[in-house]
Amino acid sequence: MAPRTRNNPLALAVLALLWERPMHPYEMSMTLRERRKDESVRLNFGSLYSVVDSLVKHGLIEAASTEREGNRPTRTIYRLTDAGATEAVDWLSDLLRTPVKEFPQFEAALSFLPLLGPDDVARLLRMRVSALQVSITTLDAAREQARAQGLPSIFVLEADYDSALLHAELDFVVGLEASITDGTLEGVGLWRELHTRAAGGRLEPEEIAEALAPYFTTEGAPPTA
C-alpha cells in the first residue's frame, strides 16, 4: 500500500462513515450534512469524490457493490478495509493526542496589525466583537436545540469546542480593543505616533520599517513557534 499524508479531515470523515456501514459518495455527503459535520470538515462533491478515489488507491476503502435507481447513473457503494479501519483509529488517535500548529487567518491578521492605524484597528475589532456575538448566539441556539431533541452530548462535542473557542476569542478581542483604545497596550504609543506622522506626510513608509527594525533584530526578535 502506498504511503499517504494525513492532511485532509474529509478523508477521516469518509473512513468514520464507512466504519458504520457501506455507503456510496452521495449518501456520505448527505449524512455529513444531516449531522452538521460539514461545519467541522470542508465538504463539496468534487473534493469528496477525489478523497474517495484516493482512499481506494491507498487500499483503505474498496468497492463493495453497485446500485442503480431508475434512470439515475450507477452508484458505487464502498466499504472499509482492514487497513482503513487501522488508519482511522491511528489517525484519530494522533489528532486527539498531539497538538499541531495551525494557521488561522485571524492570527495572521494580528501578526501584521501595525500596518493599520490604532483607531482603525479598534474600530474593526469592535465590528468583529459584534460578529462573534452573533456567531455565539447562533451556535448556542443550535446546541440547545440538539439537547432539546435528546441528542447525547458525545455527538455534538465539536459544537461545544467551537463555542469555547468563540468565547475565548471574544474575550481576547474585547480586551485587545480596550487596551488599544485606552492606550494601555504596550507599544501603542509608538504605533500611533508612526501612523500620525505618516498621515501628516512627515514620515515615509520606509521610515516606519526603519523605526521598527530595532525591535526585530536577530538577537531580539520575538520568539516564534
Side-chain angles (χ1 to χ4, degrees), residues 179-215:
S179 67
I180 293 172
T181 300
D182 64 21
T184 58
L185 178 66
E186 185 177 6
V188 72
L190 171 62
W191 178 17
R192 185 177 298 281
E193 178 187 355
L194 292 174
H195 275 274
T196 299
R197 292 172 62 188
R202 299 189 302 276
L203 191 68
E204 295 296 326
E206 305 81 49
E207 295 179 273
I208 295 179
E210 184 178 347
L212 295 177
Y215 300 97

Side-chain angles (χ1 to χ4, degrees), residues 151-168:
L151 189 65
S153 296
I154 185 66
F155 296 112
V156 290
L157 287 177
E158 68 273 26
D160 292 340
Y161 176 70
D162 283 343
S163 179
L165 291 181
L166 286 171
H167 279 90

Side-chain angles (χ1 to χ4, degrees), residues 11-64:
L12 178 60
V14 171
L15 296 177
L17 287 176
L18 296 185
W19 190 292
E20 298 180 24
R21 66 181 185 277
M23 297 184 189
H24 51 72
Y26 182 77
E27 184 181 6
M28 296 177 198
S29 176
M30 292 300 98
T31 301
L32 289 173
R33 294 184 190 280
E34 288 171 1
R35 297 177 181 178
R36 303 175 68 97
K37 302 304 181 184
D38 57 322
E39 296 183 6
S40 304
V41 177
R42 190 185 302 271
L43 172 65
N44 63 62
F45 283 117
S47 60
L48 177 59
Y49 280 101
S50 295
V51 163
V52 167
D53 288 342
S54 177
L55 292 174
V56 170
K57 175 182 176 182
H58 290 91
L60 302 179
I61 66 175
E62 63 185 8

Side-chain angles (χ1 to χ4, degrees), residues 80-129:
L80 195 66
T81 64
D82 290 342
T86 299
E87 173 70 3
V89 170
D90 289 347
W91 190 352
L92 182 56
S93 297
D94 283 346
L95 288 176
L96 289 172
R97 176 178 57 242
T98 309
V100 297
K101 173 61 180 175
E102 298 179 277
F103 297 90
Q105 295 186 35
F106 184 51
E107 182 179 340
L110 292 174
S111 178
F112 302 106
L113 202 64
L115 180 65
L116 302 177
D119 293 336
D120 286 336
V121 168
R123 175 179 57 81
L124 294 169
L125 290 177
R126 287 192 291 271
M127 295 172 64
R128 189 178 188 91
V129 166

